[in-house]
Amino acid sequence: NEAKYDEAIKYMEESRQLDPANTNNLYNLARAYFYHALTTNNAESAKKSEATLAKLMELKPTNTRALTFHGSILTFISGGKDIPKFMQGASEMKTAIDKDPQNINNRIVMPFTARNFPPQALAAMGNYDGLKDLEFVRDAFNGQTYYYAPHADVVMKAFVGEAYKARGDEAKAKANFEAALAVAKPAKPG
């Protein structure tokens, strides 16, 4: 809820001041900055996200979710001009997947980040193709419902459908779109 963003950030920053080593709070704060940076193209939020994720990785170096978000925000900060920063970000996202291939977070951040890359950047990353990762996430959400994301199953099927459509594979695109439309609506309103 964009209207509550500033208030939420205020409370998370206060929590960080009270307990600067609380890795759960740092992760949520970094993600809030991350999404704000990406949705509003806010460079200051991007810097705050990067710094918060760097601190989190310092406190908990095994946290691959932090590594993948850190990699994603580095590619954003690079603006396509700082090639070493971009490559570091791409490498971090790949490393996060390699270290924890069953982690849905890692498998979704990289393909969504890569959707915004030009073909030259994908070539520099070894011609990364996010379809395999998107299918992994789609399959993990298949038939599942979550109170915090009742739409996850339908959305992932639609994203995979879009990926197939972009490749020109109309049959697989149609199958995924039809599967998305067949997902039952949540039982509870809202």
Side-chain angles (χ1 to χ4, degrees):
N1 183 340
E2 186 66 30
K4 299 210 179 233
Y5 175 79
D6 291 335
E7 181 182 11
I9 289 293
K10 176 185 162 224
Y11 289 126
M12 285 192 281
E13 287 175 345
E14 287 174 4
S15 295
R16 176 181 54 188
Q17 289 173 352
L18 293 170
D19 188 359
N22 183 317
T23 57
N24 290 325
N25 183 55
L26 289 174
Y27 178 70
N28 290 325
L29 178 59
R31 283 187 356 168
Y33 288 141
F34 176 91
Y35 288 113
H36 189 256
L38 271 55
T39 59
T40 64
N41 201 25
N42 186 300
E44 188 61 32
S45 290
K47 289 177 191 174
K48 288 179 179 181
S49 176
E50 190 280 326
T52 306
L53 288 162
K55 180 64 177 176
L56 174 57
M57 293 185 318
E58 177 185 314
L59 292 170
K60 196 171 182 182
T62 59
N63 188 328
T64 61
R65 295 179 314 157
L67 182 62
T68 197
F69 274 114
H70 189 259
S72 181
I73 204 67
L74 286 178
T75 64
F76 176 80
I77 291 170
S78 79
K81 294 179 174 79
D82 185 339
I83 302 305
K85 188 170 286 205
F86 174 86
M87 292 307 293
Q88 177 187 348
S91 176
E92 287 181 3
M93 288 185 290
K94 184 175 179 339
T95 298
I97 291 172
D98 290 345
K99 284 184 174 183
D100 194 359
Q102 299 304 308
N103 188 300
I104 291 172
N105 178 83
N106 300 343
R107 299 286 291 268
I108 199 169
V109 169
M110 188 160 176
F112 279 112
T113 302
R115 288 175 61 154
N116 299 313
F117 296 163
Q120 311 88 294
L122 294 174
M125 293 171 54
N127 291 316
Y128 171 73
D129 179 3
L131 182 59
K132 181 176 87 171
D133 290 325
L134 289 174
E135 288 179 323
F136 175 88
V137 177
R138 177 205 59 200
D139 295 346
F141 286 152
N142 188 36
Q144 302 296 317
T145 56
Y146 304 92
Y147 71 91
Y148 55 88
H151 57 285
D153 187 15
V154 69
V155 168
M156 288 313 303
K157 286 175 169 72
F159 279 128
V160 172
E162 287 179 6
Y164 276 116
K165 185 175 180 187
R167 291 175 174 222
D169 190 333
E170 297 296 323
K172 287 186 178 177
K174 181 178 179 184
N176 278 278
F177 289 135
E178 287 175 348
L181 291 169
V183 174
K185 291 181 182 179
K188 295 180 181 178

